């Protein structure tokens, strides 16, 4: 789901069509956006396309624009959940200039984990309310990037960085020695070609004090111009992780939902 639309997909381990698109619903841009998202979910789940799914498990994949993702330098020796929560909350306040009162920070704590995420409590309320009203069991609520990263990280080649392209934003995961070192959401200018990609990735490597990537392994629909050689020397190879035609005719909300499934 995103600020503009919600899509419902059904996955199956047994049927021939492992991932089927059931329905989409526009989010009406009136009043509170989280209430509007909740109303869109209700409309979808009451539709004929989604009938008969009471009692089913459901995973929500959220557009990163609805969330906040940030990096935390954890205190030395911090292992207790209270220590990790305090470090995450302090970093949140420094980055965004507000308290965490209106935000739910993820609780999947692990000592040494460098990233945390938060979602608005008002949005969490709508997801939990809708799931209860339609008798669905929530098994996961994940950011788009996290869903895609979990799906593809094992496929990354040595020295490669990972990129997720969605709705005009390239989210780059800078990877060093197999470890995710930084996350950078980069708006893609209209008409940006391979030159822009080369320059942007090399600039990010310099800013992060990391070696430039050997290649970019990308999920999402890349512009055709990114597959063409640039006018400069030393092109960074681009590897497309998803089949070229998979979901190509799906709306953006359905392609976002697809990230939550390995189908």
């Amino acid at each position: 789901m995103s600020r503009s639309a919600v899509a419902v997909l059904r996955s199956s381990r047994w049927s021939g069509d492992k991932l089927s698109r059931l329905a989409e619903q526009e989010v009406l841009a009136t009043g509170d956006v989280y209430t509007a998202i909740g109303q869109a979910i209700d409309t979808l789940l009451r539709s004929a396309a989604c009938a008969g799914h009471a009692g089913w498990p459901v995973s929500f994949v959220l557009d990163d624009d609805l969330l906040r993702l940030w990096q935390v330098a954890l205190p030395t020796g911090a292992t207790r959940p209270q220590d990790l929560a305090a470090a995450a909350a302090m970093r949140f306040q420094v980055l965004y200039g507000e308290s965490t009162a209106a935000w739910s920070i993820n609780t999947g704590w692990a000592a040494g984990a460098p990233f945390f995420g938060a979602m608005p409590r008002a949005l969490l309320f709508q997801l939990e309310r809708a799931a209860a009203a339609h008798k669905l069991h929530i098994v996961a609520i994940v950011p788009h990037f996290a869903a895609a990263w979990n799906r593809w990280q094992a496929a990354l080649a040595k020295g490669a960085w990972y990129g997720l392209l969605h709705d005009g934003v390239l989210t780059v995961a800078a990877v060093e020695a197999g470890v995710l070192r930084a996350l950078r959401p980069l708006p893609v200018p209209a008409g940006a070609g391979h030159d822009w990609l080369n320059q942007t990735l090399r600039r990010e490597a310099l800013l992060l004090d990391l070696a430039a990537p050997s290649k970019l392994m990308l999920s999402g629909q890349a512009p055709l111009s990114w597959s063409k050689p640039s006018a400069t020397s030393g092109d960074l190879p681009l590897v497309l992780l998803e089949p070229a035609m998979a979901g190509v005719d799906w709306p953006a909300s359905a392609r976002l939902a697809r990230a939550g499934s390995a189908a």
Side-chain angles (χ1 to χ4, degrees), residues 83-150:
D83 297 333
L84 304 180
M90 183 177 298
R91 182 63 174 161
F92 181 97
Q93 291 173 358
V94 170
L95 288 174
Y96 302 110
E98 61 180 280
S99 76
T100 58
W103 295 81
S104 175
I105 299 178
N106 72 298
T107 56
W109 308 114
F115 286 92
F116 296 94
M119 66 180 300
R121 293 187 187 276
L123 178 56
L124 178 61
F125 168 80
Q126 290 294 336
L127 302 189
E128 293 176 337
R129 177 204 57 75
H134 298 276
K135 298 181 174 58
L136 299 173
H137 303 290
I138 297 176
V139 295
I141 301 174
V142 295
H144 186 196
F145 172 81
W149 170 257
N150 290 339

Side-chain angles (χ1 to χ4, degrees), residues 14-257:
W14 299 281
S15 67
D17 189 5
K18 292 185 177 181
L19 192 64
S20 55
R21 171 178 145 212
L22 298 184
E24 297 88 34
Q25 176 65 40
E26 181 183 0
V27 174
L28 300 178
T30 57
D32 176 66
V33 66
Y34 307 127
T35 301
I37 288 174
Q39 292 170 345
I41 296 172
D42 287 332
T43 299
L44 279 178
L45 296 179
R46 285 194 299 261
S47 68
C50 299
H53 294 96
W56 282 40
V58 60
S59 296
F60 291 101
V61 180
L62 309 182
D63 192 339
D64 295 334
D65 183 52
L66 290 166
L67 308 167
R68 288 179 176 175
L69 304 175
W70 70 98
Q71 190 173 7
V72 178
L74 298 177
T76 303
T79 56
R80 299 182 306 162
Q82 300 94 313
D83 297 333
L84 304 180
M90 183 177 298
R91 182 63 174 161
F92 181 97
Q93 291 173 358
V94 170
L95 288 174
Y96 302 110
E98 61 180 280
S99 76
T100 58
W103 295 81
S104 175
I105 299 178
N106 72 298
T107 56
W109 308 114
F115 286 92
F116 296 94
M119 66 180 300
R121 293 187 187 276
L123 178 56
L124 178 61
F125 168 80
Q126 290 294 336
L127 302 189
E128 293 176 337
R129 177 204 57 75
H134 298 276
K135 298 181 174 58
L136 299 173
H137 303 290
I138 297 176
V139 295
I141 301 174
V142 295
H144 186 196
F145 172 81
W149 170 257
N150 290 339
R151 182 181 179 190
W152 293 113
Q153 62 171 316
L156 296 184
K158 183 178 180 181
W161 285 10
Y162 172 71
L164 171 64
L165 184 62
H166 178 75
D167 203 17
V169 175
L170 174 64
T171 302
V172 172
V175 180
E176 182 183 49
V179 177
L180 181 60
R181 295 297 186 188
L183 197 63
R184 290 288 188 268
L186 306 169
V188 180
H194 209 145
D195 280 331
W196 176 87
L197 193 62
N198 286 342
Q199 295 168 9
T200 299
L201 295 184
R202 289 197 170 94
R203 183 188 68 235
E204 291 299 324
L206 288 172
L207 291 173
L208 295 167
D209 195 24
L210 296 175
S214 61
K215 63 185 67 176
L216 179 68
M217 304 187 73
L218 184 76
S219 57
Q221 291 181 273
L224 291 177
S225 60
W226 288 16
S227 300
K228 299 177 182 178
S230 71
T232 59
S233 60
D235 271 349
L236 290 174
L238 179 66
V239 177
L240 301 180
L241 291 169
E242 298 180 6
M245 298 305 293
V248 69
D249 61 337
W250 289 11
S253 56
R255 294 197 301 270
L256 189 155

